[in-house]
Amino acid sequence: SSWENIEKTYLEARKQLGEILSAVEMIDGVALDMCLKINKDVSPLESGAYPYYLLLETNGSRAEHDEAKLEAFLESTMESGIVADGTLAENETKSKHIWTMREACAIAPNALGYVRWYDICMPAAKMAELVEGARAMMAKEGLDKKGGHVIGFGHLGDGNLHLNLVCEPKYDEEIVKAVDKYIYTYSAERRYSVSAEHCIGVQKRDYLGYSKDDPSIEYMKKMKKMFDPKGILNPYKIFDVTDAPK
């Protein structure tokens, strides 16, 4: 439930399920509550809401072996107190439902208004600090009262945080600029990458310098010109070939 317990649970999962563990996904409580409400869905956990959730998936060669190890893992972590509640997907229908809730975090908020996606490569231990820090900044500036929301989810095992800003009911330049500045400054100060798996694209183009120094960007431009001298591959998204050094 607490972020400290999320970390402990992840370490315990690697210890007990290491050879069959195939996915470790994190969803914060704000994200799950928002998506359940939008989709009119119900969580398989019946004991109430929590600040953080983990979704673990195994992919061993024998389903019975996986299930037994998962049952033992859940029992031991609940007995130790690091897991407040848990459920097992005993069949494919329940497994799909649980994954649907995780995947909804990236899709469902679009129903509320404008959504801006951030994709940070960072240590798993710091993910909550970034999400909660962004929320605190927004509250201090009164941006939450203007319809700004921040939700956090992502691939905990890969050190990949998806932090989404939701502006309800529509795009708000003040909120977007404030959150951009906070997240990219935070990332730059700690030498995190502003793009973990979804590339730079148009949205992050102006923030590339937050995670790459000038010489690195110059070499990127040279490589662009070397492999795409006519500028026909995904043109004008990040670099124009005319920007490349001679």
Side-chain angles (χ1 to χ4, degrees), residues 187-206:
S187 301
E189 289 173 348
R190 293 157 181 80
R191 299 185 65 82
Y192 300 158
S193 171
V194 299
S195 179
E197 64 174 349
H198 293 302
C199 303
I200 298 298
V202 175
Q203 177 182 314
K204 303 171 189 172
R205 178 177 55 200
D206 296 337

Side-chain angles (χ1 to χ4, degrees), residues 158-229:
D158 296 334
N160 179 193
L161 173 67
H162 294 303
L163 187 153
N164 285 5
L165 165 65
V166 182
C167 295
E168 186 178 0
K170 62 181 180 179
Y171 175 85
D172 187 298
E173 185 174 8
E174 181 186 7
I175 297 175
V176 169
K177 285 188 174 181
V179 176
D180 273 0
K181 181 179 178 181
Y182 182 86
I183 291 175
Y184 291 127
T185 300
Y186 178 98
S187 301
E189 289 173 348
R190 293 157 181 80
R191 299 185 65 82
Y192 300 158
S193 171
V194 299
S195 179
E197 64 174 349
H198 293 302
C199 303
I200 298 298
V202 175
Q203 177 182 314
K204 303 171 189 172
R205 178 177 55 200
D206 296 337
Y207 298 99
L208 182 59
Y210 280 65
S211 58
K212 297 292 183 182
D213 57 21
D214 290 342
S216 297
I217 293 176
E218 289 303 297
Y219 274 109
M220 292 169 70
K221 290 179 178 179
K222 288 180 180 180
M223 291 178 66
K224 169 69 173 175
K225 190 164 188 177
M226 180 188 302
F227 290 105
D228 183 25

Side-chain angles (χ1 to χ4, degrees), residues 20-150:
I20 60 173
L21 191 62
S22 59
V24 183
E25 300 289 300
M26 180 276 292
I27 310 171
D28 77 15
V30 175
L32 185 62
D33 290 347
M34 177 183 291
C35 295
L36 290 175
K37 183 177 180 179
I38 293 169
N39 290 340
K40 297 180 173 59
D41 197 0
V42 178
S43 169
L45 299 178
E46 300 177 351
S47 56
Y50 299 99
Y52 301 103
Y53 299 84
L54 272 186
L55 188 165
L56 305 178
E57 183 179 70
T58 58
N59 189 22
S61 58
R62 289 189 298 122
E64 299 84 357
H65 176 256
D66 282 22
E67 187 174 344
K69 295 200 75 168
L70 278 167
E71 287 179 352
F73 166 77
L74 184 57
E75 182 178 350
S76 67
T77 52
M78 290 186 69
E79 285 181 354
S80 67
I82 61 174
V83 171
D85 194 7
T87 185
L88 296 177
E90 303 89 353
N91 52 59
E92 187 175 353
T93 299
K94 187 172 182 180
S95 177
K96 286 183 177 180
H97 178 217
I98 292 173
W99 271 109
T100 296
M101 291 191 299
R102 158 61 183 85
E103 291 162 357
C105 295
I107 302 170
N110 287 288
L112 299 178
Y114 172 82
V115 179
R116 192 167 183 84
W117 296 271
Y118 301 91
D119 178 36
I120 310 298
C121 182
M122 62 185 300
K126 297 295 184 179
M127 288 183 178
E129 179 178 284
L130 176 53
V131 176
E132 293 170 4
R135 286 180 182 144
M137 178 277 294
M138 293 174 69
K140 181 179 179 181
E141 300 295 328
L143 302 178
D144 55 336
K145 293 181 175 61
K146 291 189 66 179
H149 313 280
V150 168

